[in-house]
Amino acid sequence: MMDNHFLLDLQSKKGIDEGIKFLLGKNYTRVKEFLSQYLFEESEEFDVAFDLRYLEHNIEIDWESIDISNLWIKSYHFTTRNNKADVFSSLIYNLPHMVTADTTLKTFFKKHHIEFDLENHLVHIEGKTYNIHEHDDDSHNPMYWIDAKLYTDPEVWAFARTLDISNYNNEFPDTPEFIKNVADILKDAESFLNDWADTFGQPFVIEFKEHLSKIKIYDGYDGEFSDDDGDSCLVMKKRLLNLLLSLYLRNLRKCGFEVFKEFLPEEDISKIAHALCRLNEHQTGDFDMILTSLLKGNNVAVENIINVWDYKEFQERSRLDNCLF
């Protein structure tokens, strides 16, 4: 195992706190002191958004001391299976593999007279052959989404953070997106979906880890740090710290008095109220959902699966871990 191994957890308040401490290292105490000033000083000079650019303008951060060479990201993959034990029996494969290799998904499709020929961009459905690429650019067209999931975004997708999975897709937790897309082309979608529910109808959330170098984080980054000497590692450090700061401040706003205990030994209602007013006025973006995807060609190894959650249990835990009681 390499030194300085760290598993970054963006899903819970505790994980966010630990992530900030890990990334900042010896910078942590100075940053925490400055954040305390920002929160409680009544001077108008602090009436601005607290983000990484603002922090760097006021505090010198030793970026060289921050080591992310062995940083891993925790993610959560939604699935439906026959039972929990099935999840631990094999890798989490990308979708093109699942529809073409010898898998239970391919077998299920064949049972319903569906077969994919990805090399020739074809899908055979109930005796008809469709070119997957030939469709209107209309998001209401199911073939549009089948094409996108197989060719444009074929990676293993997950959530680095989600407080309510059902907000991502109305079909969750009953039906994975791709299954619903295929069903929308069939003559008897109801029979197909009922059979899916009977065969693979138990919803689970797979918690897994992946090295930072093999996963992409969709954090809304718009290139604001790209001018930092073309150093991609430095840019990633700044992206991660900026994201963690946003999440940390989100928790201050949402969790209120409980979180402020680490700043104020004794509960001071007036100071906390002032801090909350400042945060609510200047901080935007809750990041209640952050997607991740493995880089193309990568699958989730069995040894990287941390846990398998029953869907309802995961939903309840997500709220508790983020002060949403």
Side-chain angles (χ1 to χ4, degrees), residues 42 48 69 105 117 136 144 150 173 224 232 248 256-257 276 311:
E42 295 189 9
V48 295
S69 61
L105 179 60
D117 177 2
D136 297 332
Y144 170 93
L150 290 173
E224 66 261 41
S232 60
Y248 184 82
F257 294 98
L276 286 173
Y311 177 80

Side-chain angles (χ1 to χ4, degrees), residues 168-181:
Y168 177 74
N169 187 291
N170 291 333
E171 303 301 329
F172 289 179
D174 298 321
T175 313
E177 285 182 286
F178 188 72
I179 298 303
K180 181 60 168 63
N181 297 149

Side-chain angles (χ1 to χ4, degrees), residues 256-304:
F257 294 98
E258 183 66 27
V259 179
F260 278 105
K261 286 180 180 179
E262 62 184 276
F263 291 99
L264 298 170
E266 296 183 7
E267 196 170 279
D268 188 323
I269 302 298
S270 62
K271 282 191 174 183
I272 293 175
H274 177 270
L276 286 173
C277 284
R278 177 167 283 157
L279 288 172
N280 286 324
E281 182 176 355
H282 298 290
Q283 301 303 133
T284 59
D286 287 338
F287 288 103
D288 287 347
M289 183 172 291
I290 301 172
L291 296 175
T292 58
S293 68
L294 271 63
L295 300 187
K296 284 182 170 62
N298 289 288
N299 302 299
V300 179
V302 174
E303 58 268 25
N304 287 348

Side-chain angles (χ1 to χ4, degrees), residues 215-250:
I215 199 165
K216 184 174 181 179
I217 306 172
Y218 296 86
D219 56 349
Y221 174 65
D222 61 6
E224 66 261 41
F225 307 126
S226 60
D227 58 346
D228 292 312
D229 302 322
D231 185 339
S232 60
C233 184
L234 176 59
V235 169
M236 180 53 71
K237 292 176 186 179
K238 292 190 174 188
R239 282 180 61 183
L240 289 173
L241 184 53
N242 193 55
L243 177 59
L244 282 164
L245 285 173
S246 296
L247 292 171
Y248 184 82
L249 293 171
R250 175 263 177 212

Side-chain angles (χ1 to χ4, degrees), residues 19-293:
I20 287 182
K21 290 177 182 177
F22 170 78
L23 275 183
L24 285 174
K26 67 180 186 180
N27 305 286
Y28 178 75
T29 301
R30 285 181 298 148
V31 171
K32 202 67 178 289
E33 290 172 351
F34 179 68
L35 178 57
S36 183
Q37 273 188 288
Y38 171 85
L39 291 171
F40 304 118
E41 293 288 338
E42 295 189 9
S43 171
E44 291 183 358
E45 68 177 283
F46 295 110
D47 287 337
V48 295
F50 192 103
D51 57 16
L52 184 58
R53 286 299 193 203
Y54 176 70
L55 181 62
E56 281 193 291
H57 182 73
N58 291 276
I59 295 289
E60 183 178 353
I61 298 176
D62 182 3
W63 293 105
E64 287 294 326
S65 69
I66 299 175
D67 180 10
I68 60 171
S69 61
N70 204 14
L71 181 69
W72 293 65
I73 304 290
K74 187 183 289 189
S75 291
Y76 301 87
H77 176 76
F78 172 79
T79 187
T80 60
R81 302 291 180 92
N82 183 42
N83 58 70
K84 186 178 291 189
D86 287 349
V87 181
F88 291 100
S89 63
S90 66
L91 290 73
I92 304 175
Y93 288 104
N94 59 69
L95 186 58
H97 174 93
M98 292 297 297
V99 301
T100 55
D102 185 16
T103 65
T104 54
L105 179 60
K106 180 180 179 181
T107 300
F108 180 83
F109 280 152
K110 288 187 71 173
K111 175 182 176 182
H112 289 271
H113 310 290
I114 303 165
E115 189 170 358
F116 289 89
D117 177 2
L118 299 189
E119 185 176 352
N120 294 304
H121 314 128
L122 302 175
V123 57
H124 308 287
I125 299 178
E126 299 175 331
K128 294 183 179 180
T129 299
Y130 301 87
N131 187 310
I132 298 172
H133 292 330
E134 293 181 359
H135 55 78
D136 297 332
D137 287 331
D138 180 359
S139 60
H140 297 290
N141 186 329
M143 195 63 75
Y144 170 93
W145 290 111
I146 291 172
D147 187 358
K149 290 178 174 62
L150 290 173
Y151 293 98
T152 307
D153 300 312
E155 305 89 346
V156 175
W157 285 80
F159 303 92
R161 177 175 176 81
T162 175
L163 305 190
D164 185 352
I165 287 183
S166 66
N167 285 339
Y168 177 74
N169 187 291
N170 291 333
E171 303 301 329
F172 289 179
D174 298 321
T175 313
E177 285 182 286
F178 188 72
I179 298 303
K180 181 60 168 63
N181 297 149
V182 172
D184 286 341
I185 297 178
L186 304 179
K187 294 178 180 177
D188 189 357
E190 183 178 358
S191 176
F192 174 81
L193 291 174
N194 286 340
D195 191 21
W196 177 268
D198 291 340
T199 309
F200 304 108
Q202 296 187 52
F204 299 104
V205 179
I206 306 172
E207 178 181 343
F208 69 91
K209 64 179 182 178
E210 191 53 80
H211 191 271
L212 180 62
S213 64
K214 295 183 179 179
I215 199 165
K216 184 174 181 179
I217 306 172
Y218 296 86
D219 56 349
Y221 174 65
D222 61 6
E224 66 261 41
F225 307 126
S226 60
D227 58 346
D228 292 312
D229 302 322
D231 185 339
S232 60
C233 184
L234 176 59
V235 169
M236 180 53 71
K237 292 176 186 179
K238 292 190 174 188
R239 282 180 61 183
L240 289 173
L241 184 53
N242 193 55
L243 177 59
L244 282 164
L245 285 173
S246 296
L247 292 171
Y248 184 82
L249 293 171
R250 175 263 177 212
N251 284 339
L252 286 177
R253 290 163 55 211
K254 300 290 186 179
C255 302
F257 294 98
E258 183 66 27
V259 179
F260 278 105
K261 286 180 180 179
E262 62 184 276
F263 291 99
L264 298 170
E266 296 183 7
E267 196 170 279
D268 188 323
I269 302 298
S270 62
K271 282 191 174 183
I272 293 175
H274 177 270
L276 286 173
C277 284
R278 177 167 283 157
L279 288 172
N280 286 324
E281 182 176 355
H282 298 290
Q283 301 303 133
T284 59
D286 287 338
F287 288 103
D288 287 347
M289 183 172 291
I290 301 172
L291 296 175
T292 58
S293 68

